[in-house]
Structures are given as structure tokens and as C-alpha cells.
Amino acid sequence: LAKTTQPISMDSYEGQEVNITCSHNNIATNDYITWYQQFPSQGPRFIIQGYKTKVTNEVASLFIPADRKSSTLSLPRVSLSDTAVYYCLVGDRGGTGRRALTFGSGTRLQVQP
Amino acid sequence: SAVISQKPSRDICQRGTSLTIQCQVDSQVTMMFWYRQQPGQSLTLIATANQGSEATYESGFVIDKFPISRPNLTFSTLTVSNMSPEDSSIYLCSALAGGPIYEQYFGPGTRLTVT
């Protein structure tokens, strides 16, 4: 299985930009990179998905270098409500393969006032 | 998008009993999954709920312990059988929405405590 590695935790302050990097050295040609956010007592929520270069939506940006062995989730101007656990998943876009459904340990982001 | 509800939201059960968790999606979806999450830990995939056929279980999970049903494209159940305290966990249902972005939608989870 393609293994992902993320920092266990990160701290930030309100208004700062936060970048969370995920390492996925064994990414396959057909794999996409998907990030989820999970608040306490809730199920994970989709944030963003990408294949290469840069993807941006209303909540985040995803940067993927040419070799695709890592990716960086960028959260602009975080607020206290961004305190959550962030998961990086790598797998086929159809999501039916085991890799696409395998959650790593995630990164616990704590935003302080 | 898809909105997922689960019943019950939480339960306290005695050792040796069984609990069935229901998962309802507000739209037809191709794939549904069941996960387990220990408090403070990551999610572990239990099985893929297949419509009209037997579920596909991940390593370490068996049908006798976690029977799953999926009678149609919007509903699934997970039963935790012959429970022990080790089964205390949060159980989450998810559904996969098809293209162009294949994202999973998750239910709020069922918090199970076995005494």
C-alpha cells in the first residue's frame, strides 16, 4: 500500500498561513491525492483533491511537485475553527482501491488566538 | 454531494450482545464503506458494503463479527456481534460520490461503549 507520512502535529496562530506536507514516495501513476479534515466528534470532510501542480478551491490550495512524491496542503489565514486533524490519502481517483481508503495518522493542527 | 445520517448516535451495550448501526444516504451512491475509529486515533476501514452481494472485508475483520447489509443504493447496516469491551469505538459510515471529484462523504459516527 502506498504509505503517507505527515507531521503528527502543528501549531499556528490566527491569521497565519499553514502548510501541511504529506510524503508519498510510492505514489502510482494513476493515483490522486486527497485531503480530509476532521473535527472532534464528526466524520472527516473532504477538503481538496489533485493530481499534479496546483489546485485551489475556496478553502485551501494543494501544491504537488513534478515528481508527485509529496504534496502540501495550504490553509490561508487560519482561524480558531481550523483546529482539526488533517488527513492525506493517496489512491486511484475512483476511490475503490484500498489505498484510496487508507487513512494515515493525520496531522493535528492547533490554532491559537 | 451527499448527506449521511447514522443511528444510533451513541449506545452503551453489555458484553456478549449485538448492536446494529444504520446508515442512510440522501441520494443514491455507488459505494458505501464502514470505518472504525478509536478516540484520538485514525480511521480503519472495516469493509466495503456491496449492494446486492456480500461485503468485502479488510484484513482483521470478518463477516461473523461484523455482518453488513446493503439492500439498496441509499442504505446500509453494520452489526457488531458478540461485543466485548475491545469493540468500544466510533463507527463511521461513508459513501463515495462519483466524478469529477471522487470524494467520500462521512456520517457523524456512532459512539459505542461496551461494558
Side-chain angles (χ1 to χ4, degrees):
Chain A
L1 296 179
K3 179 177 173 60
T4 60
T5 303
Q6 305 174 231
I8 294 175
S9 64
M10 295 182 67
D11 291 311
S12 184
Y13 292 93
E14 281 190 296
Q16 290 189 335
E17 178 184 76
V18 171
N19 295 311
I20 305 174
T21 297
C22 179
S23 173
H24 29 81
N25 291 320
N26 297 326
I27 190 168
T29 302
N30 295 331
D31 285 344
Y32 279 71
I33 300 153
T34 309
W35 286 80
Y36 287 86
Q37 174 192 55
Q38 186 178 29
F39 297 113
S41 301
Q42 295 186 23
R45 183 181 73 170
F46 173 89
I47 301 176
I48 198 165
Q49 184 180 81
Y51 182 80
K52 62 180 180 180
T53 62
K54 177 183 175 181
V55 180
T56 297
N57 61 23
E58 63 276 9
V59 298
S61 294
L62 178 59
F63 298 92
I64 306 168
D67 66 6
R68 305 203 321 124
K69 294 183 182 298
S70 66
S71 60
T72 299
L73 174 72
S74 181
L75 304 173
R77 299 179 297 282
V78 294
S79 64
L80 294 176
S81 62
D82 292 316
T83 294
V85 178
Y86 293 82
Y87 295 98
C88 161
L89 279 72
V90 172
D92 63 292
R93 192 180 191 190
T96 58
R98 184 181 301 171
R99 291 179 290 113
L101 306 171
T102 300
F103 281 75
S105 57
T107 297
R108 190 174 300 273
L109 174 65
Q110 180 69 51
V111 180
Q112 314 222 3
Chain B
S1 65
V3 177
I4 299 178
S5 58
Q6 287 185 232
K7 291 181 182 180
S9 59
R10 60 177 60 223
D11 207 341
I12 301 174
C13 301
Q14 290 194 340
R15 179 197 301 260
T17 63
S18 298
L19 175 72
T20 296
I21 303 168
Q22 299 180 6
C23 176
Q24 179 73 54
V25 189
D26 70 343
S27 59
Q28 293 186 347
V29 292
T30 54
M31 303 194 75
M32 296 180 71
F33 309 97
W34 287 96
Y35 287 85
R36 183 169 72 181
Q37 185 175 32
Q38 303 282 359
Q41 303 296 314
S42 183
L43 288 78
T44 300
L45 180 66
I46 297 173
T48 301
N50 300 310
Q51 195 259 332
S53 64
E54 190 172 287
T56 303
Y57 291 85
E58 297 301 304
S59 176
F61 297 96
V62 295
I63 187 172
D64 290 345
K65 176 67 175 176
F66 298 100
I68 290 171
S69 78
R70 190 176 172 196
N72 56 52
L73 293 177
T74 64
F75 186 79
S76 178
T77 66
L78 168 74
T79 299
V80 185
S81 303
N82 188 25
M83 289 184 284
S84 66
E86 292 71 36
D87 295 319
S88 297
S89 189
I90 299 168
Y91 292 85
L92 295 123
C93 167
S94 77
L96 186 68
I101 295 176
Y102 288 82
E103 60 180 281
Q104 286 190 70
Y105 295 89
F106 284 83
T110 296
R111 183 179 292 269
L112 171 63
T113 302
V114 184
T115 60

